[in-house]
């Protein structure tokens, strides 16, 4: 079986020797990973990583909580990174109201700018949304034309009802280690409700360890088989079928994975 992690963070020096990590991923059947950029520096790191490891791809973009030093001219540099043959999407981008000092106007402006950039470059987007379900959905619905080339709601955490509305806009949804816990009722209900051809696996490494290694840090893309197995159980499918669906879904959304 071939597994894929569509969203992980491999920067930060959490993993020791990355050669060792990628060797372990091969042994675990995790054939491809998408290393997610969250600002300019991390996006450059992800590009360099993708050039070193065959199964590594990347996204480039500005996370909503990483806008302190953002300049509009940075979008040109993101566009240059996005032209790379292994940059599969603009991301991770979005809205995040978790912190009390959130500059909502700035987040909205940069999010919309990056949605427009993705549309111009004919790339999908990878979206982060925390504590702002209504605003995120409204902005996306108002700008649904910009989602023409596909969209992923990464680490989906809202209700099944919102997922159904986002699915009408053509969204895919990825779930990580937290969905393997029996107490994660909202995530599990969402997985059950979402169409199988819209589901993807991620780890958001080094965070969000699955049940088998609860509390451990760092989590790694080696956790993908456990996440896929849990997803298969929820959907009532055998693991091999689920893994094939996820693989095909990822390649349908991120077209550069096929190159």
């Amino acid at each position: 079986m071939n597994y894929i992690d569509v969203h992980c963070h491999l920067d930060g020096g959490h993993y020791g020797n990355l050669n060792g990590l990628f060797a372990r991923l091969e042994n675990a059947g995790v054939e491809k990973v998408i290393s997610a950029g969250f600002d300019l520096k991390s996006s450059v790191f992800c590009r360099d990583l993708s050039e070193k490891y065959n199964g590594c791809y990347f996204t480039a973009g500005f996370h909503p909580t990483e806008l302190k030093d953002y300049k509009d001219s940075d979008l040109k540099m993101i566009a240059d990174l996005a032209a790379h043959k292994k940059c599969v999407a603009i991301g991770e981008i979005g809205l995040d109201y978790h912190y009390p000092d959130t500059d909502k106007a700035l987040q909205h402006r940069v999010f919309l700018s990056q949605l427009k950039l993705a549309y111009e470059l004919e790339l999908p987007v990878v979206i982060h949304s925390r504590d702002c379900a209504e605003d995120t959905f409204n902005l996306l619905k108002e700008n649904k034309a910009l989602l023409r080339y596909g969209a992923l709601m990464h680490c989906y955490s809202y209700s099944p009802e919102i997922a159904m509305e986002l699915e009408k806009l053509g969204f895919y949804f990825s779930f990580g280690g937290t969905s393997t816990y029996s107490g994660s009722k909202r995530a599990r209900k969402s997985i059950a409700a979402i169409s199988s051809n819209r589901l993807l696996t991620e780890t958001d490494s080094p965070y969000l360890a699955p049940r088998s290694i609860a509390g451990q840090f760092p989590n790694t893309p080696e956790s993908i088989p456990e996440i896929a197995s849990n997803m298969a159980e929820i959907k009532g499918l055998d693991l091999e079928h689920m893994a094939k669906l996820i693989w095909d879904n990822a390649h349908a959304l991120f077209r550069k994975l096929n190159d």
Side-chain angles (χ1 to χ4, degrees):
M1 284 180 284
N2 295 328
Y3 296 104
I4 183 168
D5 186 343
V6 301
H7 192 97
C8 57
H9 298 281
L10 300 180
D11 59 303
H14 302 298
Y15 307 95
N17 188 320
L18 286 176
N19 289 336
L21 173 63
F22 275 91
R24 297 197 307 274
L25 294 182
E26 187 174 349
N27 290 335
V30 182
E31 297 290 334
K32 294 181 180 181
V33 299
I34 299 174
S35 184
F38 54 85
D39 60 11
L40 194 55
K41 182 179 178 181
S42 62
S43 296
V44 169
F45 175 89
C46 293
R47 178 203 62 193
D48 294 346
L49 200 66
S50 77
E51 293 177 347
K52 187 173 182 180
Y53 298 102
N54 288 336
C56 183
Y57 297 78
F58 75 102
T59 69
F62 275 86
H63 186 285
T65 66
E66 303 297 325
L67 302 178
K68 180 180 178 182
D69 299 317
Y70 171 82
K71 306 180 296 296
D72 287 339
S73 58
D74 290 337
L75 275 190
K76 173 61 169 63
M77 301 180 76
I78 293 296
D80 290 343
L81 287 166
H84 193 282
K85 64 181 181 179
K86 296 185 83 174
C87 183
V88 299
I90 298 298
E92 64 183 287
I93 65 177
L95 301 176
D96 190 322
Y97 294 176
H98 184 69
Y99 300 104
D101 60 346
T102 295
D103 186 337
K104 294 181 181 179
L106 176 62
Q107 286 195 11
H108 279 240
R109 182 170 67 82
V110 177
F111 185 21
L112 187 56
S113 294
Q114 292 184 102
L115 288 175
K116 291 177 179 176
L117 177 65
Y119 177 79
E120 292 166 2
L121 299 176
E122 300 185 6
L123 285 173
V125 289
V126 175
I127 294 175
H128 165 103
S129 178
R130 181 168 58 164
D131 298 342
C132 52
E134 184 176 359
D135 278 8
T136 300
F137 177 72
N138 288 339
L139 187 150
L140 292 170
K141 189 173 182 180
E142 290 166 7
N143 295 279
K144 61 183 179 181
L146 300 178
L147 306 175
R148 177 179 176 182
Y149 300 102
L152 169 66
M153 189 63 74
H154 109 84
C155 203
Y156 185 74
S157 61
Y158 297 137
S159 70
E161 291 76 19
I162 292 175
M164 294 299 92
E165 293 303 310
L166 288 170
E167 191 169 338
K168 293 175 184 176
L169 298 179
F171 267 78
Y172 290 75
F173 306 84
S174 56
F175 293 84
T178 52
S179 66
T180 66
Y181 294 86
S182 58
S184 297
K185 294 181 180 179
R186 181 179 289 182
R188 298 173 74 85
K189 287 180 179 178
S190 292
I191 291 171
I194 293 167
S195 301
S196 295
N197 64 357
R198 293 285 162 173
L199 290 171
L200 295 167
T201 47
E202 69 160 282
T203 60
D204 206 19
S205 299
Y207 315 106
L208 307 183
R211 183 171 55 185
S212 69
I213 55 169
Q216 290 190 28
F217 185 91
N219 182 29
T220 80
E222 293 167 273
S223 297
I224 286 293
E226 180 179 351
I227 295 165
S229 178
N230 176 71
M231 192 175 284
E233 181 181 343
I234 294 170
K235 297 300 284 185
L237 301 172
D238 66 75
L239 178 55
E240 186 171 0
H241 185 196
M242 191 77 245
K244 178 66 163 55
L245 277 171
I246 293 165
W247 183 266
D248 290 346
N249 294 345
H251 287 73
L253 174 60
F254 301 116
R255 294 175 298 282
K256 285 187 180 180
L257 289 176
N258 298 292
D259 296 341

